[in-house]
């Protein structure tokens, strides 16, 4: 967005005020939210956040950068939640699809999300560790987990017992 261009108030609703400019036939703008001190800088479509953009908080820190569709976070993006970070897919303002959640303590969970919650297979890795824990969540509730290191050992053991891998085993 070019800050050297003239900005005009394009509209105002219950959510906030839209400042916008038309550049090269595309509407781009700043949306200032009424109930927060946050602002949106990016592309607009009919006065709504649409396309690439960023939400910036009152301290001028980017708290979300990514894609928007019809006024909501949708597509690929990166969001900062307090000191945690989520990178991945969004749908209707929620984590939805593949993503990685980085905890402020250095741990991370990578997997699938649905409607803002961990949902499905994923891996949990503690800070400083190379082995992961394979997990399965349903609606953000842990249903089971399995050590990735143990899984690798079991694969290795299974390979040892296959007749084609061990010529000393007699098969009938």
């Amino acid at each position: 967005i070019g800050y050297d261009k003239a900005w005009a108030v394009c509209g105002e609703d219950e959510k906030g005020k839209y400042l916008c400019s038309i550049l090269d036939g595309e509407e781009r703008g700043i949306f200032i939210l009424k109930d927060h001190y946050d602002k949106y800088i990016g592309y607009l479509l009919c006065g709504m956040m649409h396309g690439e953009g960023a939400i910036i908080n009152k301290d001028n820190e980017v708290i979300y950068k990514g894609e928007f569709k019809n006024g909501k976070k949708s597509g690929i993006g990166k969001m900062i939640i307090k000191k945690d970070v989520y990178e991945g897919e969004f749908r209707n303002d929620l984590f939805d699809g593949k993503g990685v959640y980085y905890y402020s303590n250095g741990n991370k969970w990578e997997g699938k999300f649905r409607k803002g919650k961990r949902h499905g297979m994923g891996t949990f890795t503690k800070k400083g560790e190379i082995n992961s824990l394979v997990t399965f969540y349903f609606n953000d509730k842990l249903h089971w987990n399995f050590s990735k290191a143990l899984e690798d050992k079991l694969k290795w053991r299974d390979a040892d017992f296959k007749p084609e891998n061990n010529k000393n085993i007699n098969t009938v």
Side-chain angles (χ1 to χ4, degrees):
I1 294 178
Y3 289 102
D4 57 335
K5 303 293 180 193
W7 294 96
V9 175
C10 294
E12 189 168 348
D13 62 15
E14 68 280 352
K15 292 181 182 177
K17 184 183 290 188
Y18 301 91
L19 305 175
C20 68
S21 176
I22 307 285
L23 302 170
D24 303 324
E26 292 188 329
E27 188 180 9
R28 304 171 193 189
I30 299 174
F31 176 48
I32 301 167
L33 304 171
K34 278 186 179 174
D35 54 349
H36 301 68
Y37 292 104
D38 299 343
K39 62 184 168 188
Y40 167 82
I41 298 176
Y43 290 94
L44 301 170
L45 178 66
C46 299
M48 290 189 295
M49 301 176 284
H50 194 88
E52 289 289 321
I55 295 177
I56 300 165
N57 69 13
K58 62 182 170 37
D59 297 322
N60 248 2
E61 299 166 326
V62 174
I63 55 174
Y64 175 80
K65 184 174 183 181
E67 298 172 351
F68 292 84
K69 185 175 181 181
N70 298 322
K72 296 183 178 185
K73 295 178 214 70
S74 285
I76 304 297
K78 179 179 179 179
M79 184 173 184
I80 298 169
I81 307 105
K82 297 182 183 177
K83 292 185 179 182
D84 297 343
V85 175
Y86 170 80
E87 287 184 87
E89 297 176 71
F90 286 82
R91 185 177 188 180
N92 293 321
D93 278 339
L94 300 171
F95 311 153
D96 203 288
K98 293 179 183 178
V100 183
Y101 194 96
Y102 298 93
Y103 297 90
S104 60
N105 64 5
N107 297 342
K108 77 174 182 177
W109 191 83
E110 182 173 358
K112 294 235 178 176
F113 292 82
R114 189 171 88 187
K115 296 182 180 177
K117 298 177 180 180
R118 293 172 289 189
H119 190 84
M121 187 90 64
T123 56
F124 177 79
T125 308
K126 283 190 173 184
K127 178 183 178 181
E129 293 188 14
I130 56 171
N131 292 321
S132 299
L133 193 63
V134 177
T135 60
F136 185 84
Y137 279 85
F138 185 82
N139 205 23
D140 218 31
K141 291 186 176 131
L142 180 64
H143 279 264
W144 58 262
N145 60 50
F146 195 79
S147 165
K148 187 75 172 142
L150 179 60
E151 180 185 21
D152 291 342
K153 284 181 185 177
L154 290 174
K155 284 181 186 173
W156 176 79
R157 286 183 186 158
D158 286 345
D160 273 355
F161 293 105
K162 289 183 179 175
E164 63 270 16
N165 293 338
N166 192 330
K167 303 298 181 207
N168 297 326
I169 296 177
N170 293 324
T171 58
V172 182

